[in-house]
Amino acid sequence: MSEEFASFAGSSLVLTECKHQLPLFQPHGRREVVAEFDGGQITSDAGGLVLREVEQRFGIVRQFVGAFTDYRDAEKIEFSVESCCCSG
């Protein structure tokens, strides 16, 4: 399914073809994660799903954590730097 939208770029008309393809998300446990955008005006916490996908694909948190030197006493550490960065 595709739609064409007209917009003006400078002084000329530009046609843009929009293809409706659902984003592909990794499953959450045994559940499939599906995003559809036909719900009208709604809000959700779906940004968390996007962040999870970005982390799983690119390992941004692991790279971020790798930039730290942990000067804490290893015998007294209860939480790793990674778990502190990922907690909400």
Side-chain angles (χ1 to χ4, degrees):
M1 169 179 0
S2 68
E3 297 177 31
E4 285 190 354
F5 294 93
S7 64
F8 290 97
S11 61
S12 61
L13 180 66
V14 177
L15 291 178
T16 303
E17 185 178 331
C18 297
K19 295 183 180 179
H20 298 280
Q21 179 181 358
L22 296 177
L24 301 175
F25 292 103
Q26 298 293 322
H28 183 68
R30 296 185 324 221
R31 296 178 184 221
E32 180 183 19
V33 178
V34 178
E36 295 181 336
F37 301 98
D38 57 357
Q41 298 287 333
I42 59 174
T43 61
S44 71
D45 292 329
L49 293 174
V50 173
L51 291 174
R52 183 189 75 172
E53 290 297 313
V54 169
E55 174 54 26
Q56 286 182 345
R57 291 182 187 189
F58 302 107
I60 292 172
V61 172
R62 286 187 301 274
Q63 293 176 35
F64 180 73
V65 168
F68 285 93
T69 301
D70 193 350
Y71 293 106
R72 299 177 295 169
D73 184 345
E75 293 180 10
K76 298 179 181 177
I77 294 176
E78 186 173 347
F79 301 102
S80 68
V81 173
E82 183 174 5
S83 66
C84 291
C85 289
C86 293
S87 66

